Amino acid sequence: MIRGRAVILALCAASAACGSKGGSDAGRRPNANTGTQRPNNTVQVARPAIPAGSGTRVVVDVSESHQGFARGRALALEGLHGQVIEASLASQGLNVPFERCALDEQLHCESALTIQQLRDPNTYRGRSGALDVALRKPPRSPRPDQQLPDPLDPFRVTIIVTDGAQSSNTPFNAAATGDVACTGGADPSCIAALLRQRIDEGYGVWALRLRLPFNGRYFSERRIDREMFARTTAHVSEVNRNERSWSGVTLAARRPNLTGDSGSFEFSGARPLLLFVLTRDIPTGRLLVNEMLRRVRTERIGAGTTEDVASSEWAPFEGYDARVTNASRMDSGGAADEVRVDRARAQGTSLTVPVTCSLRGRARVRVVGSIAQGSLPPPSFADVRFEWRREPPAARGVTLAPSAIRAAPGPFEGVFDVDCTGLPAGRFRYTWAVWGQWQLSEQAAQREWWFTESAPNSYEMPERVFGLADMGRNVAGAGVQRAGALSRVTFELTRE
């Protein structure tokens, strides 16, 4: 980030297991380049399998604004890297090989940063921390010997430490690709686009926030005037009076630079670091994040606020699996006896139901099944809806009676009316799908920490992260947004 805004981004690489399994297509992600407005039921072309990688790369933003963390309480940074990050990696067997790189305008991995250097304010002298360099997939070279390595793929885990995206005066662009969004620098639009791209490549993404003591220059990365800084001091005073989550920590802003483009001022109290975790090995990523959270709380390296640490899984969203399992006739006597429902055949998530009827046949058929939850329940910001959907549409023969499907683990059913009275003799097929629709719930998203702790500009709220709400909404939306069939039932109807 320009003049050193830093986020802790923990990025772990692993294969995303999303949506349903077997023969269903609901878990296949649409293209994410449109941000959260992703086309429904767009099936991706299968990519070649990519090895999970080995070991861990930790990328540390060494831009200038990190100095305040080292001066706030240097042992907090040492504890974060040593007792939290490294110890957690070691406990999961993810520390061999281990590489720690410095990030300013470029990525420097030729000489490893030591724990002692990380607590030294003089380590943080970079003019910017180019997060896009640590995330962007390099262009394909016509010659294999000239191909630059992917910054993530060789590693099973990558952890990037920084305090935020670059400041930007342009509106957030939810639809831009990385190549377009990053032309102006590593602002929230750029980082969101690159994270969306990684989600589409199978990475999971976790975001964690840790508040650490801070005492140093804060960089707005834009020119500010007296009126703008007055808004800053008024906001800081309001936080000190009313913000319960900051109780125990007093914030202060003073000595602004009103002549330079950095818009810097002295800030003390505490500031957030973020952790994002991306992984192709989703279970390993979850275990690592949980271990890091446990160690943060055990080591007590935070600033001492009431909410020093928060976390959220932005991707993958595993949702639910659904499976139709059986079908039977509901009624008897009269026209119902002219309809015979034979033993259903299950294959994967699909069920085939043979039905034979005469010209006088009319009956109701109940189809039953169950919905199973993935490894984790859906996040609170995911809106999940299920329904029966006919594919392709058919005018007559087998129609759906009102049958709601609750988006929760447990049994479900569908009631179908079989009416052979208007059918000619012959064989017919009617297919119905258990259709799932996943999307980001804007109302629920506004209650998430990454929304409430976001700053609308880069100077007024130094205890928050500029553009975090837009970035979180866009990336989490990319992890959630999809639609498709989880299961199907096909009626093979023979009208005798």
Side-chain angles (χ1 to χ4, degrees):
M1 298 15 330
I2 287 183
R3 293 299 270 179
R5 296 181 52 85
V7 182
I8 298 180
L9 297 161
L11 307 167
C12 309
S15 4
C18 306
S20 54
K21 303 175 181 66
S24 66
D25 54 27
R28 301 174 186 170
R29 299 184 185 278
N31 189 298
N33 291 338
T34 55
T36 59
Q37 301 299 316
R38 296 154 71 85
N40 289 340
N41 204 27
T42 302
V43 179
Q44 285 188 319
V45 177
R47 295 184 177 88
I50 300 176
S54 60
T56 296
R57 167 181 278 179
V58 176
V59 178
V60 182
D61 185 338
V62 294
S63 50
E64 194 172 353
S65 68
H66 268 89
Q67 288 185 4
F69 291 107
R71 293 188 176 120
R73 193 170 80 219
L75 290 180
L77 282 181
E78 181 177 350
L80 172 64
H81 286 277
Q83 280 70 54
V84 175
I85 296 177
E86 288 191 34
S88 297
L89 292 169
S91 71
Q92 303 298 316
L94 299 170
N95 61 336
V96 180
F98 177 83
E99 179 178 83
R100 188 187 289 114
C101 307
L103 178 69
D104 45 32
E105 293 90 344
Q106 300 295 326
L107 187 60
H108 305 280
C109 301
E110 58 278 1
S111 58
L113 285 170
T114 66
I115 291 290
Q116 290 72 28
Q117 288 174 307
L118 291 172
R119 68 187 186 193
D120 182 356
N122 293 318
T123 298
Y124 306 100
R125 293 180 175 273
R127 290 186 55 81
S128 68
L131 282 183
D132 56 319
V133 175
L135 288 171
R136 188 194 293 266
K137 189 178 281 290
R140 186 179 296 276
S141 173
R143 290 179 48 181
D145 61 322
Q146 296 179 345
Q147 179 64 51
L148 295 175
D150 188 296
L152 301 186
D153 280 349
F155 300 92
R156 192 171 182 184
V157 176
T158 303
I159 301 176
I160 305 175
V161 182
T162 176
D163 67 357
Q166 175 182 322
S167 175
S168 174
N169 293 322
T170 59
F172 184 85
N173 189 339
T177 64
D179 290 340
V180 173
C182 297
T183 54
D187 64 7
S189 295
C190 167
I191 302 308
L194 294 178
L195 291 177
R196 293 198 317 266
Q197 179 180 335
R198 292 299 185 171
I199 289 172
D200 280 345
E201 293 169 1
Y203 286 85
V205 179
W206 289 257
L208 297 85
R209 184 267 293 142
L210 175 64
R211 290 173 180 164
L212 292 182
F214 187 91
N215 184 18
R217 299 298 289 180
Y218 173 89
F219 296 90
S220 302
E221 303 169 9
R222 56 175 294 178
R223 188 179 291 268
I224 61 174
D225 57 27
R226 292 189 184 280
E227 182 180 349
M228 295 166 71
F229 187 66
R231 291 168 59 184
T232 302
T233 55
H235 171 76
V236 168
S237 297
E238 184 72 13
V239 171
N240 286 334
R241 285 194 303 269
N242 300 322
E243 192 72 37
R244 293 179 181 177
S245 66
W246 287 88
S247 61
V249 173
T250 300
L251 309 180
R254 55 192 178 274
R255 297 178 56 196
N257 179 350
L258 303 178
T259 59
D261 291 335
S262 71
S264 67
F265 52 85
E266 291 292 329
F267 183 75
S268 61
R271 289 192 59 221
L273 291 174
L274 305 176
L275 295 86
F276 297 99
V277 177
L278 287 88
T279 178
R280 283 198 176 99
D281 180 356
I282 303 304
T284 292
R286 287 173 177 155
L287 289 172
L288 175 63
V289 169
N290 288 336
E291 180 64 13
M292 293 174 73
L293 291 171
R294 186 189 70 80
R295 288 180 180 273
V296 164
R297 296 183 177 106
T298 300
E299 298 295 332
R300 298 182 179 180
I301 63 173
T305 70
T306 55
E307 299 176 8
D308 270 346
V309 62
S311 68
S312 180
E313 183 172 299
W314 284 356
F317 169 62
E318 294 181 346
Y320 299 104
D321 293 330
R323 186 180 299 268
V324 286
T325 55
N326 200 7
S328 60
R329 198 179 70 189
M330 296 177 63
D331 41 13
S332 61
D337 288 343
E338 299 293 324
V339 177
R340 186 176 75 249
V341 179
D342 295 326
R343 181 186 296 274
R345 305 187 304 271
Q347 183 175 9
T349 59
S350 297
L351 188 74
T352 300
V353 183
V355 178
T356 305
C357 62
S358 72
L359 183 59
R360 297 181 298 275
R362 295 181 65 179
R364 281 199 158 184
V365 176
R366 177 188 285 116
V367 173
V368 297
S370 62
I371 294 173
Q373 181 179 284
S375 299
L376 293 178
S380 59
F381 51 78
D383 180 27
V384 186
R385 301 181 184 183
F386 293 147
E387 64 177 359
W388 285 102
R389 182 175 294 191
R390 187 163 47 195
E391 49 178 48
R396 54 200 296 184
V398 178
T399 56
L400 177 70
S403 299
I405 304 177
R406 193 166 62 98
F412 68 91
E413 70 172 29
V415 177
F416 296 87
D417 289 318
V418 177
D419 186 353
C420 300
T421 58
L423 290 180
R427 294 183 177 180
F428 306 89
R429 288 175 62 89
Y430 304 88
T431 298
W432 293 77
V434 177
W435 186 268
Q437 179 78 47
W438 297 258
Q439 61 186 13
L440 188 76
S441 169
E442 182 66 24
Q443 184 177 10
Q446 292 181 14
R447 296 191 292 268
E448 295 292 319
W449 63 267
W450 40 265
F451 195 100
T452 59
E453 298 180 23
S454 177
N457 56 58
S458 61
Y459 64 90
E460 188 175 349
M461 301 175 176
E463 87 291 359
R464 301 188 185 184
V465 179
F466 167 67
L468 184 61
D470 286 328
M471 189 161 60
R473 181 195 291 114
N474 194 248
V475 178
V480 168
Q481 190 93 1
R482 74 196 70 176
L486 287 85
S487 187
R488 291 177 172 88
V489 56
T490 298
F491 295 90
E492 291 184 340
L493 190 147
T494 302
R495 215 284 280 159
E496 295 178 331

